[in-house]
Amino acid sequence: MGTKPLSGTENDTDDADLLRADSLAREIFSDVANKWALLIIETIGDRTRRFTELRNDIEGISHKMLTQNLRMLERNGLIERTVHPTVPPRVDYTLTEAGHGLRATVDGMCDWTHRFLSHIDDARRRFDAPVNG
Amino acid sequence: MGTKPLSGTENDTDDADLLRADSLAREIFSDVANKWALLIIETIGDRTRRFTELRNDIEGISHKMLTQNLRMLERNGLIERTVHPTVPPRVDYTLTEAGHGLRATVDGMCDWTHRFLSHIDDARRRFDAPVNG
DNA sequence: CTGGATCCAGCTCGATACTG
DNA sequence: CAGTATCGAGCTGGATCCAG
């Protein structure tokens, strides 16, 4: 709301148009539309999570990818990083308001994934079917 | 529906859990959570689009990436590919029901991007601020 | 524990050429 | 127009080491 006209009459690609027209929007979209970023956002959720917790909970993510994406998300103001000056160090990550907003859409995507899971599985099998004669 | 328990009591990462527990879900998520796939879904929208139209409308996408992602989306049953046996050939792409479902969530992400655009821009500037003394 | 830096194998992607 | 195949530069990402 606010800046966006949102005609809604017959323009069926308004959102995509905005991504096309605005290079900053496109840049943000590119940052955010990757599996590690979305998985991190989703995994933090409502909680306060520590680096190692995330590392353990996100299967397959490497130290480097986690660090890198965490920095990127922090830079974009999607997560907040709190350093506790203890020893050993303790660093907490939480979602910001913007982060929670994104999380809502990722929730939708997770939901979608599970709704169409078997449908997609079928489609794959059909597509991958041997070209037997 | 069906296979998903969905407690809803205090589990704040149920969606992420499902992505973690189910390797197929994770695989689908990984396929779909990339910028080109989402941009293609969003650009097709409600319309019937041709290869070259998509190529022209999605700024920065290469012939190869478009082909590759189109195949992947078709394999997952998210888009339908229709070949018209004319000359020159004409191939139409439309979203399937599953594709439209995904599109809805991408719409949400586009919307989010624009809602938090200036917020994110600010956060970036703060983060990138020169470490002047 | 957190995280920066480096090394390098492997994959990604763009360019190009070729088919129907 | 749509699509496949190939090649090579460059980026990605995992492993590892070091530091606070």
Side-chain angles (χ1 to χ4, degrees):
Chain A
M1 311 134 151
T3 58
K4 200 164 67 166
L6 252 190
S7 59
T9 45
E10 74 134 37
N11 186 349
D12 53 77
T13 51
D14 38 77
D15 288 315
D17 283 346
L18 286 167
L19 277 188
R20 240 176 278 118
D22 189 332
S23 66
L24 178 59
R26 180 65 174 270
E27 202 183 302
I28 293 171
F29 188 84
S30 296
D31 264 5
V32 147
N34 85 64
K35 65 171 179 174
W36 292 132
L38 297 183
L39 239 17
I40 290 171
I41 291 288
E42 189 65 19
T43 303
I44 294 179
D46 289 330
R47 307 200 246 170
T48 293
R49 310 299 299 271
R50 298 181 57 180
F51 185 87
T52 311
E53 282 183 313
L54 293 173
R55 177 109 157 85
N56 293 333
D57 283 1
I58 302 174
E59 193 167 296
I61 198 167
S62 67
H63 182 133
K64 183 177 177 176
M65 283 303 95
L66 181 55
T67 305
Q68 195 166 297
N69 279 279
L70 245 16
R71 285 302 150 273
M72 180 273 285
L73 293 172
E74 186 193 359
R75 180 172 107 95
N76 286 313
L78 270 40
I79 62 178
E80 187 171 77
R81 179 169 173 270
T82 310
V83 182
H84 297 92
T86 60
V87 44
R90 176 201 177 94
V91 180
D92 288 334
Y93 294 95
T94 56
L95 296 187
T96 62
E97 187 200 340
H100 275 106
L102 179 57
R103 189 207 168 191
T105 76
V106 185
D107 279 347
M109 198 175 292
C110 292
D111 210 48
W112 170 86
T113 302
H114 294 97
R115 262 207 328 275
F116 288 95
L117 199 66
S118 60
H119 181 95
I120 292 172
D121 200 29
D122 288 351
R124 283 182 171 197
R125 265 199 269 278
R126 244 175 287 123
F127 192 93
D128 297 338
V131 200
N132 62 1
Chain B
M1 326 134 129
T3 58
K4 200 165 66 169
L6 251 190
S7 59
T9 45
E10 73 133 39
N11 186 345
D12 53 73
T13 50
D14 40 76
D15 287 316
D17 283 345
L18 286 167
L19 276 189
R20 239 175 278 119
D22 188 333
S23 66
L24 178 59
R26 180 65 173 271
E27 200 184 303
I28 293 171
F29 187 84
S30 296
D31 264 7
V32 147
N34 87 64
K35 65 171 180 174
W36 293 133
L38 297 183
L39 239 17
I40 290 172
I41 290 288
E42 189 65 20
T43 303
I44 295 180
D46 289 330
R47 307 199 244 171
T48 293
R49 310 299 300 271
R50 300 178 57 176
F51 185 87
T52 311
E53 282 183 314
L54 293 172
R55 176 110 157 86
N56 292 333
D57 282 1
I58 302 174
E59 193 169 296
I61 198 167
S62 68
H63 183 133
K64 182 176 179 177
M65 284 302 97
L66 181 55
T67 303
Q68 196 166 295
N69 279 279
L70 246 16
R71 284 303 151 273
M72 180 273 286
L73 293 172
E74 185 191 0
R75 180 172 108 95
N76 286 312
L78 270 40
I79 61 178
E80 187 173 79
R81 178 168 173 271
T82 311
V83 181
H84 297 92
T86 60
V87 42
R90 176 197 177 98
V91 180
D92 287 335
Y93 294 96
T94 56
L95 297 187
T96 62
E97 187 200 339
H100 275 106
L102 179 57
R103 188 208 169 190
T105 77
V106 185
D107 279 348
M109 196 175 294
C110 291
D111 209 47
W112 171 86
T113 302
H114 294 96
R115 260 204 333 273
F116 287 96
L117 200 66
S118 60
H119 182 95
I120 292 172
D121 200 31
D122 288 351
R124 285 182 169 198
R125 265 197 270 278
R126 244 176 288 121
F127 192 92
D128 298 339
V131 199
N132 60 2

